[in-house]
Structures are given as C-alpha cells and as structure tokens.
Short mmCIF file of all heavy atoms in Angstrom, two decimals:
data_model
loop_
_atom_site.label_atom_id
_atom_site.label_comp_id
_atom_site.label_asym_id
_atom_site.label_seq_id
_atom_site.Cartn_x
_atom_site.Cartn_y
_atom_site.Cartn_z
N GLY A 1 -31.33 -5.00 -30.85
CA GLY A 1 -30.15 -4.92 -31.71
C GLY A 1 -30.02 -3.59 -32.42
O GLY A 1 -28.93 -3.26 -32.91
N ARG A 2 -31.12 -2.85 -32.51
CA ARG A 2 -31.07 -1.54 -33.16
C ARG A 2 -31.37 -0.39 -32.20
O ARG A 2 -30.82 0.70 -32.35
CB ARG A 2 -32.07 -1.47 -34.32
CG ARG A 2 -31.79 -2.43 -35.45
CD ARG A 2 -32.56 -2.06 -36.70
NE ARG A 2 -34.00 -2.11 -36.49
CZ ARG A 2 -34.81 -1.06 -36.71
NH1 ARG A 2 -34.34 0.10 -37.10
NH2 ARG A 2 -36.13 -1.20 -36.52
N PHE A 3 -32.26 -0.63 -31.24
CA PHE A 3 -32.67 0.41 -30.30
C PHE A 3 -32.15 0.09 -28.91
O PHE A 3 -32.08 -1.07 -28.51
CB PHE A 3 -34.19 0.51 -30.26
CG PHE A 3 -34.83 1.15 -31.47
CD1 PHE A 3 -34.19 1.18 -32.70
CD2 PHE A 3 -36.09 1.72 -31.37
CE1 PHE A 3 -34.78 1.77 -33.81
CE2 PHE A 3 -36.70 2.31 -32.47
CZ PHE A 3 -36.05 2.33 -33.69
N ALA A 4 -31.86 1.14 -28.15
CA ALA A 4 -31.44 0.96 -26.77
C ALA A 4 -31.96 2.12 -25.93
O ALA A 4 -31.97 3.27 -26.39
CB ALA A 4 -29.92 0.90 -26.67
N ILE A 5 -32.38 1.81 -24.72
CA ILE A 5 -32.89 2.82 -23.80
C ILE A 5 -31.90 2.97 -22.65
O ILE A 5 -31.26 2.01 -22.22
CB ILE A 5 -34.29 2.43 -23.28
CG1 ILE A 5 -34.91 3.56 -22.45
CG2 ILE A 5 -34.26 1.12 -22.51
CD1 ILE A 5 -36.37 3.32 -22.09
N SER A 6 -31.78 4.19 -22.17
CA SER A 6 -30.91 4.44 -21.03
C SER A 6 -31.47 5.63 -20.25
O SER A 6 -32.37 6.33 -20.72
CB SER A 6 -29.48 4.72 -21.48
OG SER A 6 -29.42 5.87 -22.31
N ARG A 7 -30.91 5.84 -19.07
CA ARG A 7 -31.37 6.96 -18.27
C ARG A 7 -30.20 7.61 -17.55
O ARG A 7 -29.22 6.94 -17.22
CB ARG A 7 -32.44 6.53 -17.27
CG ARG A 7 -32.00 5.56 -16.20
CD ARG A 7 -33.21 4.95 -15.46
NE ARG A 7 -33.99 5.96 -14.78
CZ ARG A 7 -35.25 5.79 -14.39
NH1 ARG A 7 -35.86 4.64 -14.61
NH2 ARG A 7 -35.89 6.76 -13.75
N ASP A 8 -30.34 8.90 -17.30
CA ASP A 8 -29.38 9.65 -16.50
C ASP A 8 -30.19 10.36 -15.43
O ASP A 8 -30.76 11.43 -15.66
CB ASP A 8 -28.62 10.65 -17.37
CG ASP A 8 -27.52 11.38 -16.61
OD1 ASP A 8 -27.60 11.43 -15.36
OD2 ASP A 8 -26.60 11.90 -17.25
N ASN A 9 -30.26 9.77 -14.26
CA ASN A 9 -31.11 10.32 -13.21
C ASN A 9 -30.61 11.68 -12.73
O ASN A 9 -31.41 12.52 -12.28
CB ASN A 9 -31.19 9.35 -12.04
CG ASN A 9 -32.01 8.12 -12.38
OD1 ASN A 9 -32.92 8.16 -13.21
ND2 ASN A 9 -31.67 7.00 -11.75
N ALA A 10 -29.32 11.91 -12.83
CA ALA A 10 -28.79 13.21 -12.41
C ALA A 10 -29.30 14.34 -13.29
O ALA A 10 -29.40 15.49 -12.85
CB ALA A 10 -27.27 13.18 -12.43
N LYS A 11 -29.65 13.98 -14.54
CA LYS A 11 -30.19 14.97 -15.48
C LYS A 11 -31.69 14.83 -15.65
O LYS A 11 -32.27 15.54 -16.49
CB LYS A 11 -29.50 14.83 -16.83
CG LYS A 11 -28.00 15.14 -16.79
CD LYS A 11 -27.39 15.04 -18.18
CE LYS A 11 -25.91 15.40 -18.15
NZ LYS A 11 -25.29 15.30 -19.49
N ASN A 12 -32.29 13.93 -14.91
CA ASN A 12 -33.75 13.68 -15.04
C ASN A 12 -34.12 13.42 -16.49
O ASN A 12 -35.15 13.91 -16.99
CB ASN A 12 -34.55 14.87 -14.50
CG ASN A 12 -34.32 15.10 -13.02
OD1 ASN A 12 -34.07 14.16 -12.28
ND2 ASN A 12 -34.39 16.34 -12.59
N THR A 13 -33.33 12.63 -17.16
CA THR A 13 -33.50 12.41 -18.59
C THR A 13 -33.40 10.94 -18.95
O THR A 13 -32.58 10.21 -18.39
CB THR A 13 -32.46 13.21 -19.39
OG1 THR A 13 -32.59 14.60 -19.08
CG2 THR A 13 -32.64 13.02 -20.89
N VAL A 14 -34.24 10.54 -19.88
CA VAL A 14 -34.22 9.20 -20.44
C VAL A 14 -33.91 9.33 -21.92
O VAL A 14 -34.40 10.26 -22.58
CB VAL A 14 -35.56 8.48 -20.22
CG1 VAL A 14 -35.56 7.10 -20.87
CG2 VAL A 14 -35.86 8.36 -18.74
N TYR A 15 -33.14 8.39 -22.44
CA TYR A 15 -32.71 8.44 -23.83
C TYR A 15 -33.19 7.21 -24.59
O TYR A 15 -33.39 6.14 -24.02
CB TYR A 15 -31.19 8.52 -23.91
CG TYR A 15 -30.59 9.68 -23.18
CD1 TYR A 15 -30.06 9.52 -21.90
CD2 TYR A 15 -30.55 10.95 -23.75
CE1 TYR A 15 -29.52 10.59 -21.21
CE2 TYR A 15 -29.99 12.02 -23.08
CZ TYR A 15 -29.48 11.84 -21.81
OH TYR A 15 -28.94 12.90 -21.13
N LEU A 16 -33.34 7.40 -25.89
CA LEU A 16 -33.59 6.28 -26.79
C LEU A 16 -32.61 6.41 -27.95
O LEU A 16 -32.72 7.34 -28.75
CB LEU A 16 -35.03 6.28 -27.31
CG LEU A 16 -35.37 5.10 -28.21
CD1 LEU A 16 -35.37 3.79 -27.43
CD2 LEU A 16 -36.72 5.31 -28.90
N GLN A 17 -31.67 5.49 -28.01
CA GLN A 17 -30.71 5.46 -29.11
C GLN A 17 -31.28 4.56 -30.20
O GLN A 17 -31.61 3.40 -29.93
CB GLN A 17 -29.36 4.93 -28.64
CG GLN A 17 -28.32 4.83 -29.73
CD GLN A 17 -27.90 6.19 -30.26
OE1 GLN A 17 -27.69 7.13 -29.50
NE2 GLN A 17 -27.77 6.30 -31.59
N MET A 18 -31.38 5.10 -31.39
CA MET A 18 -31.95 4.35 -32.50
C MET A 18 -30.94 4.29 -33.63
O MET A 18 -30.50 5.33 -34.13
CB MET A 18 -33.24 5.03 -33.00
CG MET A 18 -34.27 5.26 -31.90
SD MET A 18 -35.83 5.92 -32.51
CE MET A 18 -35.29 7.52 -33.11
N ASN A 19 -30.56 3.08 -34.01
CA ASN A 19 -29.56 2.87 -35.06
C ASN A 19 -30.18 2.10 -36.23
O ASN A 19 -31.23 1.46 -36.06
CB ASN A 19 -28.37 2.10 -34.51
CG ASN A 19 -27.67 2.85 -33.38
OD1 ASN A 19 -27.54 4.07 -33.41
ND2 ASN A 19 -27.21 2.10 -32.39
N ALA A 20 -29.51 2.14 -37.34
CA ALA A 20 -29.95 1.40 -38.53
C ALA A 20 -31.44 1.65 -38.80
O ALA A 20 -32.20 0.70 -38.99
CB ALA A 20 -29.64 -0.09 -38.38
N LEU A 21 -31.82 2.88 -38.78
CA LEU A 21 -33.24 3.22 -38.92
C LEU A 21 -33.80 2.82 -40.27
O LEU A 21 -33.10 2.85 -41.30
CB LEU A 21 -33.45 4.71 -38.68
CG LEU A 21 -33.38 5.12 -37.20
CD1 LEU A 21 -33.12 6.61 -37.05
CD2 LEU A 21 -34.64 4.71 -36.49
N LYS A 22 -35.08 2.43 -40.24
CA LYS A 22 -35.78 1.99 -41.43
C LYS A 22 -37.00 2.89 -41.65
O LYS A 22 -37.52 3.48 -40.69
CB LYS A 22 -36.25 0.55 -41.26
CG LYS A 22 -35.16 -0.44 -40.90
CD LYS A 22 -35.75 -1.80 -40.60
CE LYS A 22 -34.68 -2.80 -40.21
NZ LYS A 22 -35.25 -4.15 -39.90
N PRO A 23 -37.51 2.95 -42.86
CA PRO A 23 -38.74 3.74 -43.08
C PRO A 23 -39.89 3.31 -42.17
O PRO A 23 -40.70 4.15 -41.77
CB PRO A 23 -39.04 3.48 -44.55
CG PRO A 23 -37.70 3.25 -45.18
CD PRO A 23 -36.91 2.50 -44.13
N ASP A 24 -39.95 2.03 -41.83
CA ASP A 24 -41.01 1.55 -40.93
C ASP A 24 -40.89 2.11 -39.51
O ASP A 24 -41.83 1.98 -38.72
CB ASP A 24 -41.00 0.02 -40.85
CG ASP A 24 -41.60 -0.62 -42.10
OD1 ASP A 24 -42.21 0.11 -42.90
OD2 ASP A 24 -41.46 -1.85 -42.25
N ASP A 25 -39.77 2.71 -39.19
CA ASP A 25 -39.60 3.33 -37.87
C ASP A 25 -40.23 4.72 -37.81
O ASP A 25 -40.24 5.34 -36.74
CB ASP A 25 -38.12 3.43 -37.51
CG ASP A 25 -37.46 2.07 -37.35
OD1 ASP A 25 -38.09 1.17 -36.76
OD2 ASP A 25 -36.32 1.90 -37.81
N THR A 26 -40.71 5.20 -38.92
CA THR A 26 -41.36 6.51 -38.95
C THR A 26 -42.58 6.51 -38.05
O THR A 26 -43.47 5.66 -38.19
CB THR A 26 -41.77 6.87 -40.39
OG1 THR A 26 -40.59 7.03 -41.19
CG2 THR A 26 -42.57 8.17 -40.41
N ALA A 27 -42.61 7.44 -37.11
CA ALA A 27 -43.69 7.51 -36.12
C ALA A 27 -43.47 8.72 -35.23
O ALA A 27 -42.41 9.36 -35.27
CB ALA A 27 -43.71 6.24 -35.27
N VAL A 28 -44.47 8.98 -34.41
CA VAL A 28 -44.29 9.92 -33.31
C VAL A 28 -43.86 9.09 -32.11
O VAL A 28 -44.50 8.09 -31.78
CB VAL A 28 -45.58 10.70 -32.99
CG1 VAL A 28 -45.35 11.62 -31.79
CG2 VAL A 28 -46.03 11.50 -34.20
N TYR A 29 -42.78 9.50 -31.49
CA TYR A 29 -42.22 8.77 -30.35
C TYR A 29 -42.57 9.51 -29.06
O TYR A 29 -42.33 10.72 -28.94
CB TYR A 29 -40.71 8.63 -30.51
CG TYR A 29 -40.33 7.59 -31.53
CD1 TYR A 29 -40.54 7.81 -32.89
CD2 TYR A 29 -39.80 6.36 -31.14
CE1 TYR A 29 -40.23 6.84 -33.83
CE2 TYR A 29 -39.47 5.39 -32.08
CZ TYR A 29 -39.70 5.63 -33.42
OH TYR A 29 -39.37 4.66 -34.34
N TYR A 30 -43.12 8.75 -28.13
CA TYR A 30 -43.58 9.32 -26.86
C TYR A 30 -42.81 8.74 -25.69
O TYR A 30 -42.52 7.54 -25.65
CB TYR A 30 -45.06 9.01 -26.65
CG TYR A 30 -45.99 9.60 -27.67
CD1 TYR A 30 -46.35 8.88 -28.81
CD2 TYR A 30 -46.53 10.87 -27.49
CE1 TYR A 30 -47.21 9.42 -29.75
CE2 TYR A 30 -47.39 11.41 -28.43
CZ TYR A 30 -47.73 10.69 -29.54
OH TYR A 30 -48.59 11.22 -30.47
N CYS A 31 -42.55 9.58 -24.73
CA CYS A 31 -41.95 9.17 -23.46
C CYS A 31 -43.07 8.98 -22.44
O CYS A 31 -44.07 9.71 -22.45
CB CYS A 31 -40.98 10.26 -23.01
SG CYS A 31 -40.14 9.95 -21.47
N ARG A 32 -42.90 8.00 -21.58
CA ARG A 32 -43.92 7.74 -20.56
C ARG A 32 -43.28 7.47 -19.21
O ARG A 32 -42.29 6.75 -19.12
CB ARG A 32 -44.76 6.53 -20.95
CG ARG A 32 -45.99 6.33 -20.08
CD ARG A 32 -46.68 5.02 -20.39
NE ARG A 32 -46.07 3.90 -19.69
CZ ARG A 32 -46.60 2.69 -19.63
NH1 ARG A 32 -47.76 2.44 -20.27
NH2 ARG A 32 -45.99 1.73 -18.99
N LEU A 33 -43.86 8.04 -18.18
CA LEU A 33 -43.45 7.81 -16.80
C LEU A 33 -44.57 7.06 -16.09
O LEU A 33 -45.74 7.41 -16.24
CB LEU A 33 -43.17 9.14 -16.11
CG LEU A 33 -42.79 9.11 -14.62
CD1 LEU A 33 -41.84 10.29 -14.31
CD2 LEU A 33 -43.99 9.20 -13.71
N GLN A 34 -44.21 6.04 -15.35
CA GLN A 34 -45.20 5.24 -14.63
C GLN A 34 -45.19 5.61 -13.16
O GLN A 34 -44.13 5.56 -12.51
CB GLN A 34 -44.91 3.75 -14.78
CG GLN A 34 -45.92 2.87 -14.07
CD GLN A 34 -45.63 1.40 -14.27
OE1 GLN A 34 -44.69 1.02 -14.96
NE2 GLN A 34 -46.45 0.55 -13.68
N VAL A 35 -46.37 5.95 -12.65
CA VAL A 35 -46.54 6.21 -11.23
C VAL A 35 -47.56 5.20 -10.72
O VAL A 35 -48.76 5.42 -10.85
CB VAL A 35 -47.02 7.65 -10.97
CG1 VAL A 35 -47.11 7.91 -9.47
CG2 VAL A 35 -46.13 8.66 -11.65
N VAL A 36 -47.09 4.10 -10.18
CA VAL A 36 -47.92 2.99 -9.72
C VAL A 36 -48.78 2.53 -10.90
O VAL A 36 -48.28 1.91 -11.83
CB VAL A 36 -48.75 3.37 -8.50
CG1 VAL A 36 -49.41 2.11 -7.91
CG2 VAL A 36 -47.90 4.04 -7.44
N PHE A 37 -50.07 2.83 -10.87
CA PHE A 37 -50.95 2.39 -11.95
C PHE A 37 -51.40 3.53 -12.85
O PHE A 37 -52.36 3.38 -13.62
CB PHE A 37 -52.17 1.67 -11.37
CG PHE A 37 -51.81 0.45 -10.59
CD1 PHE A 37 -52.02 0.39 -9.22
CD2 PHE A 37 -51.22 -0.65 -11.21
CE1 PHE A 37 -51.69 -0.73 -8.50
CE2 PHE A 37 -50.88 -1.78 -10.49
CZ PHE A 37 -51.12 -1.82 -9.13
N SER A 38 -50.75 4.66 -12.76
CA SER A 38 -51.07 5.77 -13.65
C SER A 38 -49.83 6.18 -14.41
O SER A 38 -48.72 5.81 -14.05
CB SER A 38 -51.63 6.96 -12.86
OG SER A 38 -50.66 7.45 -11.97
N PHE A 39 -50.05 6.94 -15.48
CA PHE A 39 -48.96 7.27 -16.38
C PHE A 39 -48.98 8.74 -16.75
O PHE A 39 -50.03 9.36 -16.82
CB PHE A 39 -49.07 6.43 -17.66
CG PHE A 39 -49.16 4.95 -17.41
CD1 PHE A 39 -50.38 4.30 -17.46
CD2 PHE A 39 -48.03 4.21 -17.11
CE1 PHE A 39 -50.47 2.95 -17.23
CE2 PHE A 39 -48.11 2.85 -16.87
CZ PHE A 39 -49.34 2.22 -16.92
N VAL A 40 -47.79 9.26 -17.01
CA VAL A 40 -47.62 10.61 -17.53
C VAL A 40 -46.95 10.49 -18.88
O VAL A 40 -45.95 9.79 -19.01
CB VAL A 40 -46.78 11.48 -16.58
CG1 VAL A 40 -46.57 12.86 -17.19
CG2 VAL A 40 -47.45 11.59 -15.22
N TRP A 41 -47.49 11.17 -19.87
CA TRP A 41 -46.97 11.11 -21.24
C TRP A 41 -46.40 12.46 -21.65
O TRP A 41 -46.90 13.52 -21.25
CB TRP A 41 -48.09 10.75 -22.22
CG TRP A 41 -48.62 9.37 -22.07
CD1 TRP A 41 -49.65 8.96 -21.28
CD2 TRP A 41 -48.15 8.19 -22.75
NE1 TRP A 41 -49.85 7.61 -21.42
CE2 TRP A 41 -48.96 7.11 -22.32
CE3 TRP A 41 -47.14 7.94 -23.68
CZ2 TRP A 41 -48.77 5.80 -22.78
CZ3 TRP A 41 -46.96 6.65 -24.14
CH2 TRP A 41 -47.77 5.59 -23.69
N GLY A 42 -45.37 12.40 -22.47
CA GLY A 42 -44.89 13.60 -23.11
C GLY A 42 -45.73 13.91 -24.34
O GLY A 42 -46.66 13.18 -24.68
N GLN A 43 -45.37 15.00 -25.02
CA GLN A 43 -46.16 15.43 -26.18
C GLN A 43 -45.73 14.72 -27.46
O GLN A 43 -46.43 14.79 -28.47
CB GLN A 43 -46.04 16.95 -26.36
CG GLN A 43 -44.81 17.42 -27.12
CD GLN A 43 -43.51 17.25 -26.36
OE1 GLN A 43 -43.51 16.98 -25.15
NE2 GLN A 43 -42.39 17.41 -27.06
#
C-alpha cells in the first residue's frame, strides 16, 4: 500500500516507489539480482 516495485527492461532499470514514508523506513536500500542460486548486490 505504500511501496511498489517496477522494472523497465529497455533501460535495464528497476524502480522502487516509496510513498507515505515513515521514520522507520530509514535504512540503506539495496538492489539485488538473482542468477539461479547466486546473487549480485548493488552498493
């Protein structure tokens, strides 16, 4: 109800829309790609 994920494959980009943010949402947000059983993380 507050967050939504989407992707644009033509731009090789994934988005996270965050609305009605709360102080508890404070964090470092990481993107992850899954390759079978392994993962690639952003910084």
Side-chain angles (χ1 to χ4, degrees):
R2 296 195 298 123
F3 286 23
I5 187 171
S6 61
R7 65 193 298 161
D8 185 338
N9 289 332
K11 296 182 178 180
N12 297 329
T13 301
V14 177
Y15 303 98
L16 182 68
Q17 179 67 43
M18 305 185 295
N19 299 323
L21 284 161
K22 305 174 181 179
D24 284 349
D25 296 319
T26 294
V28 178
Y29 285 71
Y30 297 92
C31 180
R32 190 188 84 170
L33 177 149
Q34 181 178 359
V35 184
V36 190
F37 299 114
S38 63
F39 306 100
V40 177
W41 292 90
Q43 84 290 347

